[in-house]
């Protein structure tokens, strides 16, 4: 009897098909198994990576918090030790990486565990116990030793930060030496652009100009909110003859007085009961006007000779500007007037001394030159030859007259007129004079 181990496949397969119960996986089963294994591996790996990323972000945020706390402490040390200037406090200037790590350089990123961190610090004044920025606060009078505080703002970002917010810390400390209530006058200046809804004008240089030039103070440059804070020492303010004017300057901008600067006179700044002096200046990118004069009938451009000596008046719709009523007036020297820097607004214009009953307005836009045409007695009108402009009335030609045809049928001379002529009056013979008797001895001529 043969051994069961040596049986042929046909004898062990049901039905005689030669199958084997331990034949293994088919190719399809193997592929499906591999795919499932890959999916599971990817899922597990993604979870591991996400967990690792969150751990890295948490570690980076912890380091950022430590760096922010370190920077606040360093700023407090500078303020308490008098190592930071009053100008730095007043100008509210932001600096990056002012406190390097051991062996580092001021301004360079701080590298911890292979991650680069950037520390931004601002030191400025705050009004009241709320700790509001002087530029934001509506406080107009501050009294008391604790009315002013120093605000320290620190913000830390890092290179691997994605959706996480930066770490921000704000702390308030007492005033540094030399900047105390009743000692110095604080002038808070905000420069705004009314044509942009009162948005702040950044980058404007602000000076507190003294009536005695040697007492003038450079307040600094406005920040992104258009604000800058200046300090006038008490010893300067106490000079009774000394007054101040706040002046802002920025290339390409114009004040409402059509000047390259925006200015406001504040007189003597207060330094005791009303410590904070607030000034708001209106400043905007300048516009330009090119004014053309038309002829009396408005059908053509006037000549320089026709325009010379006439009085032109420009009126801006914005109140308080140089061209507001009664307007900006000048005497024309030619038919075209170029005004290089004007306040952007809607302008009307007229020539002469009598204001027209109705006048059109044209908008002058910042950064552009606007052409306007002015007709005497009418104000702003369409340019000659454009739609809506008056057209010249053609001069009627004389009607041709009929001419007499000569008898021979030839063409009549253009100078021969067909109008009837009056015949000359008939000649009237002069009456004869009878002969008179001549005295004797003389002859008479019959």
């Amino acid at each position: 009897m043969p051994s069961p181990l040596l049986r042929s496949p046909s004898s062990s397969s049901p039905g005689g098909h030669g199958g084997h119960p331990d034949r293994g996986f088919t190719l399809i089963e193997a592929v499906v198994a591999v795919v499932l294994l890959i999916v599971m591996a990817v899922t597990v790996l993604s979870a591991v990576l996400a967990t690792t990323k969150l751990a890295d972000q948490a570690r980076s945020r912890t380091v950022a918090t430590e760096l922010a706390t370190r920077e606040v402490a360093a700023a407090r040390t500078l303020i308490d030790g008098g190592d930071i200037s009053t100008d730095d406090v007043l100008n509210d200037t932001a600096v990056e990486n002012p406190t390097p790590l051991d062996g580092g350089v001021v301004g360079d990123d701080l590298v911890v565990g292979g991650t680069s961190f950037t520390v931004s610090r601002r030191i400025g004044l705050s009004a009241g116990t709320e700790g509001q920025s002087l530029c934001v606060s509506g406080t107009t009078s501050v009294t008391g030793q604790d009315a002013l505080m120093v605000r320290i703002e620190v913000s830390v970002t890092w290179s691997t930060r994605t959706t996480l917010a930066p770490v921000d810390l704000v702390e308030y400390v007492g005033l540094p030496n030399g900047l105390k209530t009743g000692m110095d006058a604080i002038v808070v200046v905000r420069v705004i652009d009314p044509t942009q809804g009162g948005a702040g004008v950044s980058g404007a240089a602000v000076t507190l100009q003294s009536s005695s030039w040697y007492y003038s103070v450079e307040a600094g440059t406005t920040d992104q909110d258009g604000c800058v804070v200046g300090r006038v020492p008490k010893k300067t303010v106490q000079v009774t003859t000394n007054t101040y004017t706040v002046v802002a300057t920025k290339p390409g901008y114009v004040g409402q007085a059509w000047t390259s600067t925006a200015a406001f006179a504040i007189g003597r700044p207060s330094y005791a009961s009303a410590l904070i002096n607030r000034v708001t200046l209106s400043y905007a990118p300048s516009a330009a006007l090119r004014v053309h004069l038309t002829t009396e009938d408005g059908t053509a451009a006037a000549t320089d000779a026709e325009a010379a000596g006439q009085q032109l008046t420009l009126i801006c719709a914005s109140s308080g500007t140089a061209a507001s009523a009664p307007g900006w007036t000048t005497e024309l020297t030619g038919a075209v007037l170029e005004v290089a820097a004007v306040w952007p607004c809607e302008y009307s214009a007229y020539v002469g001394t009598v204001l027209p009953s109705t006048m059109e307005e044209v908008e002058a836009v910042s950064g552009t030159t606007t052409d306007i045409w002015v007709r005497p007695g009418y104000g702003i009108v369409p340019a000659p030859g454009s739609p809506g402009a008056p057209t010249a009335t053609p001069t009627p030609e004389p009607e041709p007259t009929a001419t007499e045809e000569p008898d021979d049928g030839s063409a009549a001379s253009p100078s021969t007129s067909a109008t009837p002529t009056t015949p000359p009056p008939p000649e009237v013979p002069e009456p004869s004079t009878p002969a008179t008797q001549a005295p004797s001895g003389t002859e008479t001529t019959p």
Side-chain angles (χ1 to χ4, degrees):
M1 181 177 174
S3 171
L5 297 176
L6 299 177
R7 285 184 302 180
S8 63
S10 59
S11 63
S12 62
S13 175
H17 294 292
H20 195 284
D22 298 326
R23 67 185 183 277
F25 296 104
T26 63
L27 179 61
I28 295 177
E29 291 172 335
V31 170
V32 171
V34 171
V35 171
L36 291 176
L37 182 61
I38 292 174
V39 170
M40 294 176 62
V42 169
T43 302
V44 173
L45 182 60
S46 299
V48 172
L49 291 177
T51 303
T52 304
K53 184 177 181 180
L54 290 176
D56 289 341
Q57 291 284 13
R59 183 169 54 254
S60 297
R61 191 167 185 83
T62 300
V63 174
T65 303
E66 294 176 353
L67 291 176
T69 304
R70 171 178 174 269
E71 189 59 46
V72 170
R76 291 192 61 138
T77 301
L78 290 174
I79 295 171
D80 294 340
D83 295 327
I84 189 169
S85 68
T86 306
D87 289 340
D88 290 336
V89 176
L90 293 176
N91 291 340
D92 202 2
T93 305
V95 294
E96 287 191 352
N97 303 318
T99 309
L101 297 174
D102 294 340
V105 179
V106 174
D108 289 349
D109 285 348
L110 311 181
V111 180
V112 179
T115 303
S116 297
F117 293 84
T118 301
V119 180
S120 177
R121 184 192 73 196
R122 297 176 69 96
I123 300 178
L125 285 178
S126 295
T129 57
E130 306 87 357
Q132 292 178 308
S133 167
L134 289 179
C135 293
V136 176
S137 172
T139 305
T140 57
S141 177
V142 175
T143 58
Q145 181 67 35
D146 297 328
L148 287 178
M149 304 180 71
V150 176
R151 184 186 72 261
I152 304 172
E153 294 182 6
V154 176
S155 180
V156 182
T157 59
W158 54 96
S159 57
T160 59
R161 182 178 64 89
T162 53
T163 59
L164 293 179
V167 173
D168 297 324
L169 290 182
V170 180
E171 188 166 330
Y172 301 91
V173 298
L175 294 177
N177 293 332
L179 184 62
K180 297 184 182 297
T181 302
M183 295 296 294
D184 302 309
I186 306 300
V187 182
V188 179
V189 182
R190 189 153 189 263
V191 184
I192 63 171
D193 182 355
T195 66
Q196 297 298 321
V201 177
S202 63
V206 176
T207 303
L208 308 180
Q209 290 186 354
S210 170
S211 55
S212 303
W213 64 268
Y214 43 84
Y215 288 140
S216 295
V217 177
E218 298 292 336
T221 304
T222 55
D223 60 14
Q224 67 273 12
D225 296 321
C227 186
V228 67
V229 182
R231 177 181 67 94
V232 180
K234 178 181 178 181
K235 64 179 181 180
T236 301
V237 180
Q238 286 179 324
V239 179
T240 57
T241 58
N242 189 28
T243 59
Y244 281 89
T245 300
V246 181
V247 179
T249 304
K250 185 175 183 179
Y253 276 66
V254 65
Q256 288 185 312
W258 290 14
T259 56
S260 59
T261 61
F264 184 82
I266 61 174
R268 292 181 61 196
S270 300
Y271 63 94
S273 60
L275 174 67
I276 298 179
N277 302 265
R278 296 187 179 277
V279 176
T280 300
L281 299 177
S282 294
Y283 214 22
S286 62
L289 289 176
R290 186 183 295 116
V291 184
H292 307 259
L293 188 66
T294 72
T295 54
E296 293 286 342
D297 58 6
T299 59
T303 64
D304 289 339
E306 292 171 334
Q310 297 204 54
Q311 178 177 292
L312 171 71
T313 301
L314 292 172
I315 302 176
C316 175
S318 301
S319 60
T321 64
S324 299
W328 176 81
T329 302
T330 187
E331 183 175 303
L332 296 175
T333 58
V336 180
L337 173 66
E338 299 270 358
V339 188
V342 300
W343 182 259
C345 72
E346 292 187 351
Y347 284 93
S348 56
Y350 66 95
V351 172
T353 58
V354 179
L355 185 70
S357 57
T358 59
M359 292 191 297
E360 297 293 330
E361 294 180 348
V362 173
E363 183 178 7
V365 181
S366 296
T368 63
T369 299
T370 303
D371 287 274
I372 62 175
W373 291 80
V374 182
R375 178 183 175 184
Y378 290 85
I380 297 178
V381 296
S386 65
T391 56
T393 303
T395 303
E397 297 181 358
E399 296 182 1
T401 56
T403 56
E404 290 184 356
E405 297 272 341
D407 294 339
D408 58 0
S410 62
S413 171
S415 60
T416 305
S417 175
T419 55
T421 57
T422 303
E427 295 183 0
V428 179
E430 295 181 1
S432 59
T433 304
T436 56
Q437 179 96 27
S440 62
T442 62
E443 293 184 354
T444 59
T445 301

